[in-house]
Amino acid sequence: MTMSGIDPVVGVLLIPVCAAVVLALLPGYKLTAKLNVLASLGSFLCAASLLVLPRPAPGPYILVDDLNIVFIVLNTFVGFTTSLFSASYIAHELETGKLTPTYLRFYHAMYQIMMFGMNLAFMSNNIGLMWVAVELATLTTVLMVGIYRTPAALEAAWKYFILGSVGIALALFGTILIYMAARPVVGEGPDGMIWTVLVARASGFDAALLNVAFVFLFLGYGTKVGLAPLHAWLPDAHAEGPTPISAVLSGLLLNVALYALLRFKMLLAANGDAMPPGVLMIVMGLASLLFAAFMLYRRRDIKRLFAYSSIEHMGIIVFAFGMGGPLANFAGLLHMVMHSLTKSAIFYAVGHITQVKGTQSLAKIRGITETHPVLGWGLVVGVVAIAGLPPLGIFMSEFLLVSSTFARSPWLALLLVFGILVAFGALTLRLTGIAFGAPRGSRQPVQASYVPMFAHLTLVLIAGVYLPAPVVAWFQHVAKLLG
């Protein structure tokens, strides 16, 4: 591998593709699980090297800039830790007969294809290619959600497929409208799809077409983000699919659609006559936060509980980017990173807890800190973090967002704080029974890898206590880019 600066980009995209081909051909779970971990590690190392190596110049299809490098590194890191968690989790599913080797033949291959799709979406400089990459990542996760082949799993996969297809169709129509708006200025041909060209010439585009395009793009990609009322697929997909896929859905795939929205938001911001996209984002973000916060009280399934928590936090993030400005954008970026790390860590704990207890019912999972202390206290730290308590990272991002919002719009700040407090009450109520209630269910030891969970929680704790100056400067720069 040379140090030319282009090799890491090739590695991030090519390693998952090559790994998928190899993994599809190899029998046996243990070998493929190890190769899956190695491939995910290779992708992460290539992505991390982009932080220090010279980046390639933007091309017609590939772009690496200050905005997407945040997403690329986060995506490959969580992909790597999830592959570690998946190795022990899926092995247990095979041993208990919940999954059969036949259905798992292509599990790791699909995992790598999914990672390729997400990496490509982040790196795409062509808005059409980005759409294709998001669809590829969606289709692979649909297959993985239905891998248990139970009626409930198949129903969840079909719901995800149908609603996701509606969303991606709306996003496609919005993408076509962007091309139509660009054509009179940029001309015919592929230049009308290249994001760097579009953002440079956006001031001359037809504002009316841009406005209509953004509405379709927001509804389309907003379905993937899981914003209410476009969220119906998300709780089912989390509850019925394998837990590693729940971790990837919450920690990664939601970010892919969010990233697409941010790119198009920047496009509208570059046109002085276009509508302010922030208004729509603020309304939908607050609606998602308030809806999910109240729905948390009605959940009886532990994975559905944290699925609605994901809807809540994506609402907060979308609200932050809708508010805009250096501080709110900084808070949105920080919250996005902290949510990805924290929520995936929670699902790592939940996955092993549901395996050892043999149920996802909250009523049957009690006293986990007594029966399985490491898993139990890991879950406690994760829920404390996701609820926004200090000194963990989400507290810092929420504090910055509330401060910024209160200074500019106190009424919006009150609604934001109200939603966060309602969700905090629901999570505290559920955590009390799960972690500290009278123990129920199996006390058998669980064969689990605790490294992914505690690696994430350690990073979240460090971020809440101290953010290194280079990270702060980097986030501040990206916040300015977002407008």
Side-chain angles (χ1 to χ4, degrees):
M1 207 173 183
T2 69
M3 302 295 285
S4 63
I6 188 67
D7 287 334
V9 175
V10 174
V12 169
L13 296 175
L14 204 58
I15 288 174
V17 173
C18 296
V21 174
V22 173
L23 290 167
L25 298 174
L26 289 177
Y29 177 75
K30 289 185 178 180
L31 175 61
T32 54
K34 291 176 182 176
L35 289 176
N36 188 52
V37 171
L38 287 175
S40 300
L41 175 60
S43 297
F44 168 61
L45 293 176
C46 287
S49 69
L50 288 169
L51 297 173
V52 293
L53 295 178
R55 297 171 190 168
Y61 298 105
I62 299 299
L63 168 69
V64 179
D65 64 3
D66 288 335
L67 173 60
N68 66 7
I69 192 68
V70 179
F71 290 86
I72 295 165
V73 173
L74 178 66
N75 193 68
T76 52
F77 175 71
V78 177
F80 166 57
T81 54
T82 303
S83 69
L84 282 173
F85 162 67
S86 177
S88 57
Y89 178 89
I90 298 296
H92 182 275
E93 301 290 87
L94 282 171
E95 289 172 8
T96 57
K98 194 171 182 181
L99 286 173
T100 64
T102 303
Y103 291 131
L104 273 174
R105 178 68 188 273
F106 296 111
Y107 172 82
H108 291 117
M110 287 189 290
Y111 187 89
Q112 290 298 324
I113 293 171
M114 174 190 66
M115 293 304 301
F116 166 74
M118 291 190 288
N119 292 340
L120 181 60
F122 288 133
M123 287 186 166
S124 295
N125 196 21
N126 183 296
I127 59 174
L129 181 62
M130 180 170 65
W131 180 89
V132 172
V134 173
E135 177 70 347
L136 176 63
T138 300
L139 290 175
T140 51
T141 47
V142 166
L143 294 173
M144 297 170 88
V145 165
I147 202 167
Y148 286 129
R149 312 300 292 177
T150 62
L154 292 174
E155 180 186 346
W158 274 109
K159 182 184 288 188
Y160 180 20
F161 174 72
I162 292 168
L163 293 176
S165 297
V166 171
I168 209 71
L170 293 172
L172 176 60
F173 188 63
T175 303
I176 293 169
L177 289 176
I178 292 288
Y179 176 78
M180 290 177 63
R183 188 173 59 177
V185 178
V186 177
E188 299 278 356
D191 280 359
M193 303 287 280
I194 298 174
W195 188 82
T196 47
V197 174
L198 294 174
V199 77
R201 308 282 295 276
S203 58
F205 295 174
D206 185 319
L209 265 180
L210 281 181
N211 293 343
V212 176
F214 186 77
V215 171
F216 278 100
L217 288 163
F218 189 83
L219 291 174
Y221 286 120
T223 303
K224 304 285 186 186
V225 175
L227 297 176
L230 312 168
H231 69 285
W233 63 271
L234 197 149
D236 287 349
H238 279 65
E240 303 303 335
T243 307
I245 304 310
S246 302
V248 169
L249 283 172
S250 274
L252 301 181
L253 195 61
L254 304 184
N255 288 347
V256 175
L258 176 64
Y259 167 79
L261 285 178
L262 291 180
R263 284 292 190 197
F264 289 111
K265 177 180 181 287
M266 293 170 71
L267 205 57
L268 258 70
N271 186 296
D273 297 325
M275 70 176 185
V279 176
L280 186 58
M281 298 179 77
I282 288 170
V283 171
M284 292 287 282
L286 270 181
S288 299
L289 165 62
L290 294 169
F291 169 78
F294 282 105
M295 290 297 286
L296 285 171
Y297 286 90
R298 297 179 58 83
R299 298 310 98 201
R300 299 293 179 264
D301 180 293
I302 190 169
K303 289 174 71 175
R304 287 181 186 272
L305 176 74
F306 292 113
Y308 276 95
S309 173
S310 293
I311 297 170
E312 173 217 344
H313 283 279
M314 294 312 291
I316 294 173
I317 296 167
V318 169
F319 174 87
F321 289 125
M323 287 297 296
L327 188 56
N329 284 336
F330 184 99
L333 285 168
L334 181 61
H335 199 97
M336 178 203 73
V337 175
M338 293 299 102
H339 174 257
S340 292
L341 294 173
T342 306
K343 189 56 63 63
S344 48
I346 287 173
F347 275 113
Y348 299 158
V350 166
H352 291 307
I353 288 169
T354 55
Q355 281 185 334
V356 74
K357 295 296 185 182
T359 181
Q360 293 178 193
S361 170
L362 288 168
K364 297 178 181 178
I365 302 174
R366 287 286 186 272
I368 195 71
T369 53
E370 182 177 331
T371 59
H372 298 83
V374 179
L375 278 177
W377 284 109
L379 181 64
V380 168
V381 174
V383 174
V384 166
I386 210 69
L389 290 179
L392 296 140
I394 285 181
F395 167 78
M396 182 58 66
S397 61
E398 289 182 348
F399 177 79
L400 291 174
L401 178 58
V402 171
S403 302
S404 172
T405 306
F406 192 81
R408 296 160 62 187
S409 180
W411 285 106
L412 285 178
L414 289 176
L415 287 173
L416 176 66
V417 171
F418 175 71
I420 291 172
L421 289 177
V422 170
F424 171 79
L427 290 172
T428 304
L429 178 67
R430 294 298 179 211
L431 178 65
T432 303
I434 296 170
F436 307 113
R440 292 184 188 176
S442 171
R443 292 175 176 262
Q444 291 182 351
V446 60
Q447 298 298 319
S449 173
Y450 299 119
V451 173
M453 176 176 68
F454 285 111
H456 284 210
L457 294 176
T458 301
L459 289 173
V460 171
L461 175 60
I462 292 171
V465 175
Y466 172 72
L467 277 177
V471 175
V472 173
W474 179 22
F475 273 33
Q476 286 174 335
H477 175 61
V478 175
K480 288 179 182 176
L481 290 177
L482 292 171

